[in-house]
């Protein structure tokens, strides 16, 4: 986020300007900086290019735009109309050649553009070390069997976005990719193709930008490309760290931002619930989101006590560590609103999540899940009677249908395939509908062995990086419900130790990068890529030195347990590990997307198959002409023969007679005043009166003359 904000701040200079965004770039900007912070940087107002806007020829404009054809139409329209004095154009990613030529061929556009630059920020920073593309349609595009013709274009699009991350970070990394052994599914080669596209894009960028990569003492980074098929357990397991648990169990509203509906102020009537944002500005969230729930509850209680000590307005309680007592005490706090609401939010979420944990008997479920995912029981021995434990849980009425489906899918993965008849028996025993059988069958598209024959003597499935070892030290002891580590963690550990299997994770350029990646590549700086000077190795990097960056791209979506693993490796190994992915997966979303792999492709509503957005019609309309200024009345002098008579000369035109004496007079005896007309003095006096014909034609005009009487 800091990198993106710094790139944008480069253009916010002293002179006042208008900022023009499109719908896509606005979403990007909203994720990294507040609108008030932008307006403080000499920006008069923020406009959207697709909407109608007034001409502002006295002001310069900064355009931050996504390189889409309909956005280019809007920009060309602005430039040809000279809507602003000068234009500073920033593209979020590289323009297509045909779009760039439209600007080059327009003399007006070239004259209007004061500066044009590509920012390479076609991604959405979600956390400090978590990046998404907000593209949940990537999963069906990559794995749906009917989307094969869309895969190449989609991989090229992903490659451009991955390169934009590398360029923003100033990294020209070595590239390794997941190459599953003995893969039978079609998507088994997607990482290889994606890595090749990324390497080509990076090489092209370096070829045309001599300043890339920028000189830096930081060790050269690494990019590891993998996909969802590497770890099929992670999206199905119940994870009990704070962030993963609330995304699994609570009804969060997830979009560009994440909200949870809760009542922050408790009262006798329960309080008014409202949507509260969960984000990077919340220090309690950032510090505690990767804690196990049992540790979180203890830490929230201790932090609450510290907060209470600083604010003596809190009342004393016999049991201050109780969540309910803490919530009651918060309700009585008259001030310190920000701290009060932050604690209320997290205490509410923690208590709500624990309530679901108890209702759904997740402790019993997780105990069996951990045995199946690790292949070991709590004593790190081969588990016994796993099938009996699964069947017993499927009989329990407190177990939800989604949890039953997750159990069956994990049991199938644990057994490395089931007899089709056994799968049907388990589904019937769990009282699950027939379409849930398709969800299980669709795992085969991700490389799982779904079925086996009666004579098939395959051993149980093995984790890709071997079984987890028994903790050697007491500090490494862990909860029996959280023994499983996502495969991403041992992958990163073996990469940093230089022991990662080159057959399973080969380099895109083995003849150039293999020695660097395996024999201490972390000590080779970026400057050595363009310099023949040697960089001497040191035994251990200092904490003050720039940390090596490792970028992991997970195609098909990543889980919050994998995000946590990246943060923990960063801290343990003094590295900066960034996780990038198309979108974040919760277990419910993963089940739905796996189920969609067997539906008709037309029902997926893939963006790639929708009509392309069109420029709004109003940009092709002529600009409305400004209204002429109102004309001021100037009295024209009259000729001597037509000089205006004194007002007293017209007094004779006033009739005070009653209605009976004047057929043309007003009713009820009201007096009628005749208008004074600018006519020559030679005109007959009778011309000042309305004749009968004119009176009948214009009754409204007649009513305007009732000065001295009212119509009854």
């Amino acid at each position: 986020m800091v990198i993106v904000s710094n790139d944008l701040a480069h253009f916010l200079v002293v002179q006042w300007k208008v900022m023009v965004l499109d719908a896509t770039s606005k979403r990007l900007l909203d994720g990294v900086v507040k609108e008030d912070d932008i307006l403080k940087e000499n920006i008069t107002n923020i406009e959207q290019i697709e909407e109608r806007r007034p001409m502002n020829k006295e002001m310069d404009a900064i355009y931050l735009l996504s390189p889409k054809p309909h956005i280019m139409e809007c920009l060309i329209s602005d430039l040809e109309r000279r809507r602003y004095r000068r234009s500073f154009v920033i593209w979020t990613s590289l323009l297509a050649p045909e779009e760039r030529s439209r600007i080059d061929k327009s003399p007006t556009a070239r004259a209007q553009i004061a500066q044009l630059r590509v920012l390479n920020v076609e991604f959405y920073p979600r956390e400090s070390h978590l990046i998404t593309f907000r593209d949940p349609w990537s999963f069906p595009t990559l794995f749906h069997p009917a989307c094969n013709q869309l895969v190449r274009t989609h991989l090229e699009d992903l490659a451009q976005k991955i390169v934009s991350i590398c360029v923003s970070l100033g990294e020209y990394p070595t590239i390794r990719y997941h190459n599953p052994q003995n893969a039978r599914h079609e998507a088994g080669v997607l990482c290889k193709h994606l890595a090749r596209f990324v390497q080509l894009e990076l090489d092209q960028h370096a070829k045309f930008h001599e300043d890339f990569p920028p000189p830096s003492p930081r060790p050269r980074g690494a990019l590891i490309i993998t996909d969802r098929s590497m770890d099929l357990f992670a999206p199905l397991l119940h994870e009990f760290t704070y962030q993963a648990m609330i995304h699994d169990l609570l009804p969060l509203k997830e979009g560009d931002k994440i909200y949870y509906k809760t009542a922050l102020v408790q009262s006798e009537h329960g309080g008014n619930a409202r949507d509260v944002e969960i984000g990077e500005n919340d220090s309690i969230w950032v510090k505690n989101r990767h804690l196990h729930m049992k540790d979180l509850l203890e830490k929230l209680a201790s932090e609450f006590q510290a907060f209470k000590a600083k604010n003596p307005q809190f009342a004393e309680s016999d049991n201050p560590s109780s969540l309910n007592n803490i919530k009651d005490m918060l309700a009585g706090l008259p001030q310190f609103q920000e701290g009060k609401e932050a604690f209320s939010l997290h205490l509410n979420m923690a208590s709500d999540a624990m309530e679901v944990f108890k209702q759904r008997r997740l402790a019993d479920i997780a105990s069996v899940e951990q045995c199946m995912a690790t292949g070991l029981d709590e004593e790190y021995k081969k588990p016994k009677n796993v099938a009996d434990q699964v069947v017993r849980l499927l009989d329990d009425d407190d177990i939800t249908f989604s949890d039953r489906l997750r159990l069956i899918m994990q049991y199938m993965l644990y057994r490395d395939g089931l007899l089709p008849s056994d799968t049907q028996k388990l589904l019937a025993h769990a009282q699950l509908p027939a379409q849930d059988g398709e969800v299980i069958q669709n795992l085969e598209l991700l490389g799982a062995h779904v079925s086996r024959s009666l004579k098939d003597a395959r051993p149980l499935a093995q984790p890709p990086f071997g079984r987890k070892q028994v903790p050697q030290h007491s500090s490494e002891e862990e909860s029996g419900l959280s023994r499983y580590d996502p495969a991403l963690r041992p992958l990163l550990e073996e990469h940093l130790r230089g022991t990662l299997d080159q057959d399973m994770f080969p380099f895109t350029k083995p003849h150039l990068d293999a020695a660097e990646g395996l024999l201490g590549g972390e000590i080779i700086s970026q400057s050595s890529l363009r310099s023949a000077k040697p960089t001497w190795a040191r035994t251990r990097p200092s904490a003050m030195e720039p940390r090596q960056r490792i970028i992991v791209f997970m195609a098909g979506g990543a889980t919050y347990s994998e995000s946590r693993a990246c943060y923990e490796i960063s801290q343990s190994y003094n590295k900066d590990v960034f996780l990038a992915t198309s979108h974040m997966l919760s277990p419910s979303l993963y089940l739905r997307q796996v189920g969609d792999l067997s539906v008709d492709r037309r029902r997926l509503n893939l963006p790639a198959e929708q009509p392309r957005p069109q420029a709004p019609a109003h940009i092709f309309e002529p600009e409305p002409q400004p209204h002429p200024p109102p004309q001021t009345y100037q009295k024209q002098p009259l000729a001597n023969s037509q000089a205006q008579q004194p007002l007293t000369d017209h007094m004779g035109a006033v009739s005070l007679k009653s209605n009976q004496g004047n057929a043309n007079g007003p009713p009820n005896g009201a007096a009628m005043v005749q208008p004074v007309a600018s006519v020559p003095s030679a005109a007959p006096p009778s011309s000042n009166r309305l004749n009968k014909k004119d009176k009948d034609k214009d009754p409204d005009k007649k009513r305007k003359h009732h000065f001295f009487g009212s119509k009854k």
Side-chain angles (χ1 to χ4, degrees), residues 671-686:
M672 181 178 71
V673 178
Q674 298 293 340
V676 178
S678 298
V679 292
S681 59
S686 61

Side-chain angles (χ1 to χ4, degrees), residues 596 598-606 609:
D596 286 343
S598 56
V599 304
D600 190 298
R601 169 178 153 181
R602 292 170 294 184
R603 292 175 53 192
L604 298 175
N605 295 322
L606 297 174
E609 297 184 317

Side-chain angles (χ1 to χ4, degrees), residues 33-217:
V33 64
K34 295 181 179 179
E35 184 174 317
D36 290 343
D37 295 334
I38 298 176
L39 295 175
K40 291 177 183 177
E41 299 292 337
N42 295 330
I43 296 295
T44 60
N45 61 305
I46 300 173
E47 301 176 349
Q48 196 153 327
I49 198 169
E50 300 99 332
E51 299 176 354
R52 293 182 183 270
R53 291 160 289 131
M55 301 291 285
N56 197 348
K57 297 189 176 184
E58 304 300 322
M59 189 76 68
D60 292 345
I62 296 178
Y63 289 86
L64 178 62
L65 305 174
S66 54
K68 300 177 180 178
H70 71 288
I71 299 300
M72 177 61 79
E73 290 278 0
C74 298
L75 176 63
I76 293 294
S77 173
D78 275 11
L79 297 176
E80 291 180 348
R81 294 170 190 246
R82 299 182 182 272
R83 187 176 298 277
Y84 305 101
R85 182 173 57 188
R86 293 184 304 166
S87 300
F88 298 81
V89 182
I90 311 168
W91 297 104
T92 58
S93 61
L94 196 64
L95 274 173
E98 60 271 16
E99 300 296 340
R100 177 59 187 261
S101 66
R102 295 188 60 184
I103 295 179
D104 295 338
K105 293 178 180 178
S106 172
T108 306
R110 293 200 309 270
Q112 284 286 102
I113 295 178
Q115 187 176 1
L116 191 149
R117 181 178 171 182
V118 177
L119 202 55
N120 283 300
V121 289
E122 200 174 12
F123 53 87
Y124 298 92
R126 182 157 176 166
E127 297 174 7
S128 62
H129 287 65
L130 177 60
I131 302 164
T132 72
F133 300 153
R134 293 181 184 172
D135 184 14
W137 296 276
S138 180
F139 184 90
T141 303
L142 294 174
F143 296 108
H144 197 292
C147 295
N148 288 342
Q149 66 272 29
L150 302 176
V151 171
R152 180 182 178 88
T153 302
H154 184 63
L155 290 179
E156 291 174 345
D157 180 57
L158 288 176
Q160 292 178 0
K161 294 177 179 180
I162 295 171
V163 169
S164 72
I165 296 174
C166 297
V167 173
S168 295
L169 294 173
E171 294 287 349
Y172 195 171
T174 60
I175 301 176
R176 305 181 75 169
Y177 60 90
H178 182 218
N179 181 35
Q181 305 299 298
N182 305 317
R184 300 185 305 168
H185 59 300
E186 285 188 274
V189 296
L190 73 84
C191 290
K192 178 179 180 180
H193 293 311
L194 179 56
R196 180 166 56 88
F197 290 149
V198 172
Q199 188 70 69
L200 290 173
E201 288 283 342
L202 269 174
D203 292 345
Q204 284 290 102
H205 186 86
K207 178 179 179 181
F208 292 103
H209 297 80
E210 294 185 357
D211 57 344
F212 178 78
S216 170

